[in-house]
Every structure is written in C-alpha cells, then in structure tokens.
Amino acid sequence: MSVELPFAPVDAIIRRNSGDLRVSADAAEELARRIQEHGAALAKDAAERATADGRKTLMAADFGVEQVVDRSQLELPIAPVDRIARLDIDGRYRVAMDARIALADILEDYADNVAGAAATLAHHADRRTIQAEDIETYFSLFE
C-alpha cells in the first residue's frame, strides 16, 4: 500500500510536538503510514454506519463528529485524506466535504498524540532526534 499522505504536513505536526528535538524523515514517513492505516479503518467503520442508515455518502456524524472545524485550522490536506478514506471502502461510497474535514481533524489529533509520545520516548532514550523507532515503540506500547 502506498502512502497517500504527503510527509511535509506530517513532519510539521511532529515538529510542533517535538520541542527542541529534530525529526528524522523516517519518523515522518512512519507516522504518515500509521495515520493512513488509522484513517482507512475509521472510514470503513463510517461506511458501515452509513450503510446501516441506508446512505451511500459518508457524513461527519459517521465519524462521531457533530461540530466540524474550519478547514483552515488543519495542517493535513483534505485531498489526500479523501483518498485515505476511500482506500478500504467500495467505490460506491461518496465522502462529503464535512466528512473529509472531520476525518482530517481526527487524524491530526491522532498524529499530535503519537508525536507527543514519540518526543517523550526520544527524550527518554537521550536522543536529540525523533526517529521512526519512537513511532514504532509508541504503537508497540499503546496499541
């Protein structure tokens, strides 16, 4: 599976959680891959909810979001998030714009949590750079 999400916004999310630490390219790539997997799984669940309601369009409520944030507040771009949402669902589903924004917001919060923990792990390892192994360690410990 190729990674749909560009690494630059993921890198920016890690950096806003890293304090004075540097960020390796591998860390951004690993987090982008994990974000994509999580987003595809969330979209699959949302598609099941839409199907149960007799709809072919995913809505923000299908992701458990009632109040959608303003798109300009997000670091993650919407087009790749839309492609991520469609990875594991049939082509017969549509993804409403509010659902795309809601999913991007959920994934950004998810990335912030992982990035903050990865920074803590890098500090604990007495390193000055957040590496892919910090992202991997987070998932081996907490998921």
Side-chain angles (χ1 to χ4, degrees), residues 2-26:
S2 68
V3 178
E4 298 289 337
L5 202 57
F7 300 146
V10 176
D11 183 74
I13 292 170
I14 297 173
R15 287 182 191 284
R16 77 178 175 211
N17 288 280
S18 68
D20 59 344
L21 297 174
R22 292 179 288 205
V23 178
S24 75
D26 289 344

Side-chain angles (χ1 to χ4, degrees), residues 37-92:
E37 289 172 359
H38 186 63
L42 290 174
K44 190 173 182 179
D45 292 343
E48 290 172 6
R49 285 195 268 309
T51 299
D53 287 345
R55 292 181 283 108
K56 301 268 186 189
T57 302
L58 304 186
M59 309 298 277
D62 296 322
F63 291 98
V65 175
E66 293 182 22
Q67 183 72 25
V68 179
V69 300
D70 185 83
R71 180 180 183 169
S72 65
Q73 296 176 335
L74 298 173
E75 188 74 42
L76 295 178
I78 301 303
V81 169
D82 180 44
R83 290 191 299 274
I84 289 169
R86 296 169 192 274
L87 284 173
D88 290 343
I89 60 174
D90 292 339
R92 64 178 191 234

